[in-house]
Each structure stands twice: as C-alpha cells, then as structure tokens.
Amino acid sequence: MPARRAIFVAPFGELADARRLARLAAATEAAGWDGFFVWDHLVYVDTRELADPWIAMTAIACATERVRIGALVTPTPRRRISKLARETVTLDRLSGGRLVLGVGIGGDRHGEFVPFGDSGDPRERARLLDEGLDRLVELWGGEFAPPPAQAPRIPVWVAARWPNRRPIRRAARWDGIFPIDLPGPEAIAELAEQMRSLREGVEGPFDIVVTNPAGEDPRPWEEAGATWCLTGFGRDPTEAEVREAIDAGPRG
C-alpha cells in the first residue's frame, strides 16, 4: 500500500495564529493530502511565539472533514492524564474520529520540564509515559464518558529516538512509531523488521511515520516501509512555503 502523505508544521511565529493553521489544514484537505499534524511545545529556544497545539487542533478539526489530525508529539509526563483524556476524547468526537495521539518522553533542552516543576530525569519521564498511557486507556475504556469516537480507542503513535531499543519496544505495544534521527531509508527497513518480530501475534495495523523536508522525495522511505510520509518545514515555517507545498499536492 502506498504511504499516506501529510503536512507537519510547527505552530511558531506567524503560524502561532490558529486561524492560519485552520486555513492551511482546509487547503491540505482540498488538495488531497491525508493528514495535518502540528508540533507540541510549551517553549522553544528559537522563538517566543507559540500556539497551544490542542487549541489549534480544535480550529483545525472544525475547518476539515477528512484528514487525520494530531500533535507530534505530546510529552505525557508533563500532562495531567485525566485532563488529557478529556481533551483527546472531546477532540476525537469533534473531528468525527480523526485524532491520532502522538506521545513521547520529551526533552528539556528548551526548558519545558524543570523550569515548570516537572522531572528532568529521562528515566522518570519514561516511567510516567508508560504509566500514563495505561491510565489513559482505562479512562477511554469506560471510566470517563462519553467514549472516543474511534473504536476500540484513539490510535497512539510513540516517538523513539533511533536506535534506542527501549522506546522501540514501547512503541511496539501501541499503534505506530515516530522514529527520530533516522540515518536514512535503510533504517526504516530494519525498523519494520524489528516491529514485525516484536508484534508477532498482535492484531491490527501498525504505522511507521517519517518526516521529510519540503521538496524531498519521500518515495525511498515509502519503499522501505514507511506508512506515513510527513512533509515538514522545520522550526521557522512561513505560511507561504507551507501553502506552496500543499498546492504542489501529496504526490507533487
């Protein structure tokens, strides 16, 4: 199956305006793309202007009807899981079952954890991630009502920094992996084989999600086993360059 194609933007600078993001998402859908995703940061060293991705995705959900949406990735160790459960269910139902939850332990090089009273220890954040995901599924599964629009639950994609094995094993428990720092498409083929081994006997689809700069041919990644190829624009996106990529089309 050909990989699905999506636009992936940082809601920074001029794109910290949720209305602009919603317009871009609507254009993405009209041009035939499969998804529209945003970064999730509290602060970032290169900019002071950021939008909250979850509020922005509400605008995006209302401006679209078909494309998959989500934040890549939300560090659940700095979130209250009960609040995240309510937010994800509400957004999934608002979008008609189009939400993907991207998760990871996050990093503190931008000052998103310790300055706000959260743990700076990656091992502790990994523990909180696993604990939080298990609790999230319980809340989605009936402790909170209403349930998500999607059954049996909202898909979860897990970030994993290549070639660390523990995050890869964690991702195999869920619905997809968003690998970071891949050296090239050949690593996707290796990762796909690892996932087949780790998920032996597990039913259901599994996504391998990669990001390429605008203008780069994603087909080598697709041929190596990626199921989603995201077109990204780095940490200083402009509306004009994002729209140019959108208008070129998902196979342009």
Side-chain angles (χ1 to χ4, degrees):
M1 293 290 293
R4 285 175 282 185
R5 307 292 174 88
I7 295 295
F8 182 35
V9 297
F12 298 171
E14 65 181 63
L15 295 187
D17 183 341
R19 292 166 296 185
R20 289 189 176 191
L21 291 170
R23 289 195 295 266
L24 289 173
T28 296
E29 183 165 274
W33 294 77
D34 302 299
F36 190 92
F37 298 94
V38 295
W39 296 21
D40 187 338
H41 286 277
L42 278 176
V43 293
Y44 203 84
V45 294
D46 296 314
T47 184
R48 292 180 59 84
E49 297 181 330
L50 296 85
D52 180 274
W54 291 87
I55 299 298
M57 282 191 292
T58 300
I60 290 164
C62 290
T64 57
E65 296 181 351
R66 178 186 55 79
V67 291
R68 278 278 180 182
I69 64 173
L72 301 176
V73 294
T74 295
T76 61
R78 63 166 165 79
R79 297 297 305 276
R80 289 189 60 143
I81 294 301
S82 56
K83 184 69 165 67
L84 185 62
R86 286 294 191 201
E87 291 170 348
T88 50
V89 168
T90 301
L91 187 55
D92 193 50
R93 293 175 70 88
L94 175 66
S95 67
R98 294 184 284 127
L99 180 65
V100 174
L101 177 61
V103 300
I105 69 168
D108 205 30
R109 69 189 184 94
H110 299 289
E112 296 182 87
F113 286 88
V114 174
F116 296 98
D118 296 307
S119 176
D121 180 5
R123 292 185 179 180
E124 173 63 7
R125 294 203 304 273
R127 184 191 69 79
L128 290 171
L129 172 59
D130 290 331
E131 182 181 280
L133 285 174
D134 290 340
R135 182 65 180 135
L136 194 61
V137 170
E138 292 173 348
L139 293 167
W140 286 344
E143 288 196 36
F144 278 180
Q150 298 179 80
R153 56 172 171 75
I154 297 165
V156 175
W157 292 349
V158 180
R161 193 171 297 279
W162 179 263
N164 295 347
R165 294 294 181 254
R166 186 171 296 176
I168 291 173
R169 290 195 298 270
R170 174 183 296 113
R173 295 178 49 211
W174 299 96
D175 310 297
I177 186 168
F178 185 49
I180 300 168
D181 292 340
L182 289 172
E186 67 283 352
I188 288 292
E190 181 180 344
L191 181 60
E193 181 57 38
Q194 289 179 357
M195 285 301 164
R196 280 191 288 271
S197 176
L198 288 168
R199 289 177 56 81
E200 186 174 359
V202 178
E203 296 182 358
F206 188 84
D207 285 308
I208 298 177
V209 186
V210 299
T211 303
N212 306 115
E216 181 176 314
D217 185 1
R219 284 176 293 184
W221 300 86
E222 178 182 58
E223 292 166 0
T227 65
W228 278 87
C229 292
L230 279 50
T231 296
F233 305 88
R235 60 196 179 192
D236 189 26
T238 66
E239 184 174 6
E241 68 176 324
V242 176
R243 187 168 290 275
E244 180 180 3
I246 290 169
D247 292 344
R251 304 284 166 178

